Amino acid sequence: MKATAAAHANIALVKYWGKRDEALLLPEAGSLSVALDKLLTTTTVELGDFAADSFTLDGHPEDPCRARALLDAAGIRKRARIASGNDFPTAAGLASSSSGFAALAVAACAAAGLRKSADELSALARIGSGSASRSVPGGWAVWEDAFARQVFAPSHWDLRFCIAVCAAGPKQVGSRDGMRATRETSPYHAAFIAQCRRDLPDALKLLAARDLPGLGALAERNALRMHADALAADPPLLYWQPATVACLLALLELRASGVAAWATIDAGPHLVAICASSDAGAVEGRLRSVPGVTEVVVCAPAGAARVLS
Amino acid sequence: MKATAAAHANIALVKYWGKRDEALLLPEAGSLSVALDKLLTTTTVELGDFAADSFTLDGHPEDPCRARALLDAAGIRKRARIASGNDFPTAAGLASSSSGFAALAVAACAAAGLRKSADELSALARIGSGSASRSVPGGWAVWEDAFARQVFAPSHWDLRFCIAVCAAGPKQVGSRDGMRATRETSPYHAAFIAQCRRDLPDALKLLAARDLPGLGALAERNALRMHADALAADPPLLYWQPATVACLLALLELRASGVAAWATIDAGPHLVAICASSDAGAVEGRLRSVPGVTEVVVCAPAGAARVLS
């Protein structure tokens, strides 16, 4: 009745920002992501007749409410002790919900002795966090409906993802509330979703062809349009910090100097630069020089969530 | 054959961002602005049989091409020597095209001895720059078609507009090119224009009622939606600097602490905070403390363009 699993966080190149069904947690449009090797969450689940569920993240107690929703969806009635740890260099909110709920889904089913397919595990992880559905298959993954699937193995394309950790100010609006507010109040949201539906097939072709300028520019446009959609909400949702803009301007300078790197940004201040492995050193160095950037983590594509013990 | 005129720059609370007619320079949606007392341009026009048109801004030669288009539209065939000076504390691109072309239209017609109505002068200024049409009537002005009109005198409401000059990086895309690129490539542009058409009548009601929280929040939403529209263009148009975001976050903090101030931002990095005159000192002080802000100019509403001599 105890198991440990690990999963990688992922970054979306075509973003998920809006649910077509709030109860079933289904996305309005399909998204494309890649799992990141340096962002690993390891989670141990122990099931038993405890007084209550408990959940710790890096040793600190957290609300087990969303974890319980996931366990209920798996048909696990026993109480759970969940201990999760992020193997990240910082605790700066680097998409840990994607890896966290993917590791939880895999560990919980292993602890309960449930034989679930990869698709079923992905669908379960989705209950915790939509983006977690993509961390179960890992690699280059697409999520459109109940579960995500790997469309290319990590080895398909040896790109680098340089995460510039941008000093965070006051706490932002969480993704779940942020996307709901955007959907309800942004006059741009329908156009953003329509754009994502065009972007996904285009991105898959560019990914298949390993076209970095094409996929990089598409991912950057898609991310900026997601942030523009949120910024247009009422009240406005501004996820950026000054360093986020400084990183965007640094990438413009890098491209003007011949270094091919494009940005994506999740619902937070951190910027992820997409580049060839041969350019990762130059991109990392430039981002480290940006005022307000506290750390740069260079990641490669990673694989699926897995049971460790 | 020589005259001098002065005009104030204006800041839009409902933005102009897109032309319905590129040749006639007519806007897709109506805009609302207020003229700013500290941003004054003084322009002297001398007409004569010179070898060519000439144009200097603060003593530096500039291309007289747009000025010539304005003179042609006024029926002025003689060559012009135009000397324009900005009475601004900085040369950081503070909407000087609005005051510049308004002063030019008024000075050129005075130099030529042409008797033009205020509406005709506004329409002429429009040929140089759309926003200049609003600097001719000054005060609180609305521009929807060929010319702008003052809808309230400057004395209607003694607000303050605190301009945080945000250190500029590489040169941005100019407004004329930026709005054309946005109109042609942003998937959000139709929604932005539709929003402006809803915002203008709402803003006029809030202005009539002197409702600062209402008008401030509307102006901030409208400005962020304009920037979001531009950010969604292909390639993306990012007018902000790191300090722009820092100022936006500073205003959020100010509001949380009970100081009522809202932002507007033209197509550039500088932020303008809208507040009551009694709060201007607190807002100015806070903005001065933001890293990257090189200066803060506190303005009150100003009047129409006028002939000086």
Side-chain angles (χ1 to χ4, degrees):
Chain A
M1 302 301 277
K2 184 172 176 179
T4 299
H8 296 277
N10 68 75
I11 180 86
L13 305 180
V14 176
K15 299 293 186 191
Y16 157 53
W17 195 250
K19 296 174 179 62
R20 66 174 189 262
D21 188 312
E22 293 276 344
L24 294 177
L25 300 160
L26 295 173
E28 289 183 274
S31 54
L32 168 68
S33 69
V34 60
L36 302 174
D37 64 349
K38 298 275 179 65
L39 303 188
L40 189 72
T41 298
T42 304
T43 298
T44 298
V45 175
E46 186 179 3
L47 303 173
D49 297 321
F50 312 125
D53 292 323
S54 67
F55 182 73
T56 63
L57 179 60
D58 289 330
H60 303 287
E62 302 270 340
D63 184 347
C65 170
R66 276 210 214 175
R68 172 41 64 189
L70 189 161
L71 298 173
D72 282 347
I76 296 172
R77 301 273 171 264
K78 284 198 181 291
R79 302 284 188 189
R81 278 184 187 155
I82 305 163
S84 192
N86 288 330
D87 191 22
F88 304 170
T90 72
L94 294 172
S96 59
S97 68
S98 66
S99 51
F101 287 107
L104 175 64
V106 173
C109 290
L114 298 171
R115 293 169 143 265
K116 298 270 190 190
S117 69
D119 291 350
E120 288 171 321
L121 289 170
S122 171
L124 265 182
R126 185 189 92 234
I127 306 300
S129 170
S131 64
S133 68
R134 300 185 306 239
S135 278
V136 170
W140 303 87
V142 167
W143 172 43
E144 292 184 282
D145 287 297
F147 52 83
R149 277 198 170 151
Q150 192 178 107
V151 289
F152 289 98
S155 60
H156 168 69
W157 198 4
D158 190 33
L159 288 186
R160 290 296 178 273
F161 302 88
C162 304
I163 308 170
V165 178
C166 294
K171 185 157 169 55
Q172 71 201 28
V173 176
S175 293
R176 195 163 281 190
D177 290 340
M179 66 179 73
R180 188 187 297 122
T182 302
R183 186 162 193 244
E184 289 173 358
T185 67
S186 170
Y188 300 163
H189 191 61
F192 174 67
I193 294 302
Q195 185 66 49
C196 287
R197 289 176 183 150
R198 291 190 294 270
D199 283 351
L200 181 58
D202 288 349
L204 286 170
K205 275 177 218 153
L206 295 162
L207 173 58
R210 298 188 189 87
D211 178 341
L212 177 55
L215 186 64
L218 185 152
E220 187 171 290
R221 284 197 305 272
N222 184 271
L224 294 178
R225 285 167 173 168
M226 183 194 90
H227 283 269
D229 186 19
L231 196 63
D234 179 13
L237 287 167
L238 175 64
Y239 283 104
W240 294 359
Q241 288 287 318
T244 314
V245 169
C247 287
L248 283 169
L249 298 175
L251 289 190
L252 282 176
E253 283 173 31
L254 276 175
R255 290 209 294 270
S257 74
V259 178
W262 288 266
T264 186
I265 311 170
D266 268 347
H270 314 303
L271 179 140
V272 180
I274 307 163
C275 64
S277 59
S278 54
D279 283 328
V283 174
E284 179 187 6
R286 181 68 187 86
L287 292 176
R288 278 191 193 281
S289 75
V290 171
V293 170
T294 56
E295 190 152 9
V296 178
V297 186
V298 181
C299 296
R306 58 202 180 274
V307 176
L308 297 182
S309 65
Chain B
M1 300 302 276
K2 184 172 176 179
T4 299
H8 296 278
N10 68 73
I11 180 86
L13 305 180
V14 175
K15 299 293 187 193
Y16 156 53
W17 195 250
K19 296 174 178 59
R20 68 173 188 263
D21 189 312
E22 293 277 344
L24 294 177
L25 302 159
L26 296 172
E28 289 183 275
S31 55
L32 167 68
S33 68
V34 60
L36 301 175
D37 63 350
K38 299 274 179 65
L39 303 189
L40 188 73
T41 297
T42 303
T43 298
T44 298
V45 175
E46 186 179 3
L47 302 173
D49 297 320
F50 312 126
D53 293 324
S54 66
F55 182 74
T56 62
L57 178 61
D58 288 331
H60 304 288
E62 303 270 338
D63 185 347
C65 171
R66 276 211 214 176
R68 174 40 65 190
L70 190 160
L71 297 174
D72 282 347
I76 296 172
R77 300 273 170 262
K78 284 196 180 292
R79 302 284 188 188
R81 277 186 188 153
I82 305 163
S84 192
N86 287 329
D87 190 21
F88 305 171
T90 73
L94 293 172
S96 58
S97 68
S98 66
S99 49
F101 287 106
L104 175 63
V106 173
C109 290
L114 298 171
R115 293 172 144 261
K116 299 270 189 190
S117 70
D119 291 351
E120 288 170 320
L121 289 170
S122 171
L124 266 183
R126 186 189 93 234
I127 305 301
S129 171
S131 64
S133 68
R134 299 184 308 239
S135 279
V136 171
W140 304 87
V142 167
W143 173 43
E144 292 183 283
D145 287 297
F147 52 83
R149 279 201 170 149
Q150 192 179 104
V151 291
F152 288 99
S155 60
H156 169 69
W157 197 4
D158 190 34
L159 287 187
R160 289 296 177 274
F161 301 87
C162 305
I163 307 170
V165 177
C166 293
K171 183 153 173 60
Q172 73 202 24
V173 175
S175 292
R176 196 164 279 188
D177 290 341
M179 65 178 72
R180 188 187 298 123
T182 303
R183 185 161 193 243
E184 288 172 359
T185 68
S186 169
Y188 301 163
H189 191 61
F192 174 66
I193 294 302
Q195 184 66 48
C196 287
R197 289 175 183 152
R198 290 190 295 271
D199 283 351
L200 181 59
D202 288 350
L204 287 171
K205 275 178 216 149
L206 294 162
L207 173 58
R210 298 188 188 87
D211 179 340
L212 176 55
L215 186 64
L218 185 151
E220 186 170 291
R221 284 197 305 273
N222 185 272
L224 294 178
R225 284 167 175 167
M226 183 195 89
H227 283 268
D229 186 18
L231 196 64
D234 179 15
L237 286 168
L238 175 63
Y239 284 103
W240 295 357
Q241 288 287 318
T244 315
V245 169
C247 287
L248 283 169
L249 298 175
L251 289 191
L252 282 177
E253 283 173 31
L254 274 176
R255 290 209 293 270
S257 74
V259 178
W262 287 266
T264 186
I265 312 171
D266 268 347
H270 315 303
L271 180 140
V272 180
I274 307 162
C275 63
S277 59
S278 54
D279 284 328
V283 173
E284 179 187 6
R286 180 68 187 86
L287 292 175
R288 277 191 194 280
S289 75
V290 170
V293 170
T294 56
E295 190 152 11
V296 179
V297 185
V298 181
C299 297
R306 60 203 178 273
V307 177
L308 296 183
S309 63

